[in-house]
Amino acid sequence: MTELTHPLATVPRGELVARAEADPLRPRFHFVSPAGWLNDPNGVGQWNGIYHLFYQYNPEGAFHHRIQWGHATSTDLVTWTDRPVALEPSAGPDADGCWSGVLVNDAGTPTLVYSGRLGERELPCVAVGSPDLSTWTKAPENPVIAAPPAGVDITAYRDHCVWREGNRWRQLVGSGVRGRGGTAFLYESADLRSWDYVGPLFIGDASQGDPAGTDWTGTMWECVDLFRAGTGTLGTEPADGSPDVLVFSAWNDGDTRHPLYWTGRYSGDSFEPAELHRLDYGGRYFYAPQSFLDDAGRRIMFGWLQEGRTDAAMVEAGWSGVMSLPRVTTLAEDGTLRFAPVPELEQLRGNHTSLPEQELAAPLDTGVRGNQLDLELDIHLAPGAVLRLGVLGSGDGAEDTVIEVGRPAHSTGDTEGTLRLDRTRSSLDSSVDLEDRSGPIPMTGGHVRLRVLVDRSAVEVFANGKPLTARAYPTRGGGHVTLSTAGAVHLNAFDAWTMADIRGGGRTLFP
């Protein structure tokens, strides 16, 4: 069993929290743990009107160790209340960690299905909750699946997707078949305790594509999430032909890569894939996503924003990991997913500034300053034009994080452009990650609606519904917001708001 205390756990809890709160790079309107380490969202859902966010958590310090389940609740998906730890390791199959899992409603009883870790083994476990989801009792049957499928050489085996189908429960466990590719193993149960193995839902092909590429499917699939993108439920024939979606995070020998999704059809005991898509152009900066349907019928998704600074910097800061803002997932006419921040976030908006409609020519200082901002732009790009939106700038050009939107230089009927995040000058700290992130966006006739949420070191960009999430670590402060172009760009609208601090109630104001 892992030692209860990690060698890096040398900072007393009170000091750890104080360090985390004092860090100027710590986001203020994204959810973060009180201090220590945060990774995957777990058990996200709404129960009796209350939103619950569980997450992978190590309160000892900003490093991955003996993982517990942190817990927070909200009535509006915006402000969150920290709750006592929901699950922590105990003697038995989860003695070395309570790893990722899901929340399900078992005939009115809140139930968690999660991966218990003991040594190098991760096996499915179950815990039953109190009516308010504050206390949890582990099932005596744990682990509820005694071992991975026999006779299969797997790369890893963990993380769960569980749903009710007819009078049976079905479960996917993320895994990979060595020498072939990632997969999700399908199981069936009447009671969430005794599971029958059905088979692999679908096996990817790790030999296809560049392992360094953005669409390589990996040797193992973490955090699988299967859902119907449109009308109807899993296992039924959709009246409108809407696809089923299989989300997974590509993993390779301990290295987290990027989130992807297949559209296709889940039927019987298998998934027939149609098209592979990137879920977020930020790659590992929006990792291990998990979604749920809320009471309003919206599919809400959270992801983990990993850090882009060194392990030593995280430990010194006293915290690591940010939860994404909740985003609404919808199906577009082209059969792909679109994303937008939940509208409830607008209640955090404070001071407002706008710019008049205009043709952009010379570089423009918008007059906006701040490191907690919500920006909305409506633009039209001529063929070959590029808009550059700089945020978190130092004002003297030394630091700038630049969102670029470009239109190809061909006919006016084009339907695809590009979104890029240029972090080349985002920080004077040479130890942080500065790699570019980019991807294609729908752009009929050169029209783009751009939404950018900046929260100190967290940046979430949505361009015509396509997301790009990343981290930036400016050292100068200032928070200048600028606009520049190459080619003809018409600014239809520009609006900027400061965003409130969800923990302290303060606001970052324009000067």
Side-chain angles (χ1 to χ4, degrees), residues 159-233:
D159 308 336
H160 312 271
C161 175
V162 181
W163 69 98
R164 188 80 177 178
E165 190 172 324
N167 61 358
R168 307 280 291 179
W169 289 100
R170 301 208 113 183
Q171 172 177 191
L172 295 176
V173 181
S175 189
V177 179
R178 196 173 304 280
R180 292 188 63 184
T183 192
F185 291 123
L186 178 63
Y187 294 82
E188 193 170 72
S189 173
D191 60 2
L192 295 171
R193 305 299 192 278
S194 178
W195 292 90
D196 296 320
Y197 175 57
V198 177
L201 183 76
F202 165 54
I203 302 175
D205 187 350
S207 69
Q208 297 297 309
D210 179 1
T214 55
D215 58 358
W216 184 59
T217 59
T219 58
M220 185 262 179
W221 293 351
E222 294 193 286
C223 303
V224 290
D225 189 12
L226 178 66
F227 57 85
R228 171 66 51 80
T231 60
T233 57

Side-chain angles (χ1 to χ4, degrees), residues 105-175:
N105 185 340
D106 185 13
T109 299
T111 304
L112 300 179
V113 181
Y114 67 99
S115 290
R117 182 176 176 88
L118 178 61
E120 296 302 312
R121 289 165 59 90
E122 296 116 19
L123 293 174
C125 295
V126 165
V128 173
S130 58
D132 65 355
L133 280 64
S134 62
T135 59
W136 296 86
T137 302
K138 297 174 184 178
E141 296 92 342
N142 287 341
V144 295
I145 298 176
V152 182
D153 187 7
I154 62 169
T155 53
Y157 181 82
R158 59 176 173 270
D159 308 336
H160 312 271
C161 175
V162 181
W163 69 98
R164 188 80 177 178
E165 190 172 324
N167 61 358
R168 307 280 291 179
W169 289 100
R170 301 208 113 183
Q171 172 177 191
L172 295 176
V173 181
S175 189

Side-chain angles (χ1 to χ4, degrees), residues 29-30 325 340-341 345 349 371-375 451-456 458-462 470 499:
F29 64 89
H30 284 68
L325 297 171
L345 289 165
R349 288 173 170 175
N371 57 11
Q372 294 173 214
L373 299 172
D374 186 356
L375 309 172
R451 179 91 177 267
V452 179
L453 293 123
V454 178
D455 192 1
R456 302 191 178 215
V459 180
E460 297 195 50
V461 181
F462 301 84
M499 294 291 276

Side-chain angles (χ1 to χ4, degrees), residues 45-130:
Q46 192 173 18
W47 193 275
N48 293 332
I50 303 297
Y51 291 102
H52 291 262
L53 170 63
F54 301 91
Y55 57 94
Q56 298 281 273
Y57 180 40
N58 175 25
E60 282 189 296
F63 46 87
H64 193 274
H65 181 42
R66 194 165 171 267
I67 295 296
Q68 309 176 10
W69 274 42
H71 183 199
T73 57
S74 175
T75 59
D76 59 6
L77 287 170
V78 177
T79 56
W80 295 90
T81 301
D82 289 310
R83 300 296 183 189
V85 166
L87 291 175
E88 55 185 323
S90 57
D94 65 7
D96 290 325
C98 300
W99 285 26
S100 295
V102 293
L103 168 69
V104 296
N105 185 340
D106 185 13
T109 299
T111 304
L112 300 179
V113 181
Y114 67 99
S115 290
R117 182 176 176 88
L118 178 61
E120 296 302 312
R121 289 165 59 90
E122 296 116 19
L123 293 174
C125 295
V126 165
V128 173
S130 58

Side-chain angles (χ1 to χ4, degrees), residues 243-269:
D244 297 318
V245 174
L246 178 62
V247 175
F248 64 96
S249 291
W251 177 94
N252 183 48
D253 193 25
D255 178 24
T256 57
R257 294 299 180 96
H258 43 249
L260 301 168
Y261 69 95
W262 289 96
T263 54
R265 178 65 61 226
Y266 161 69
S267 179
D269 299 334

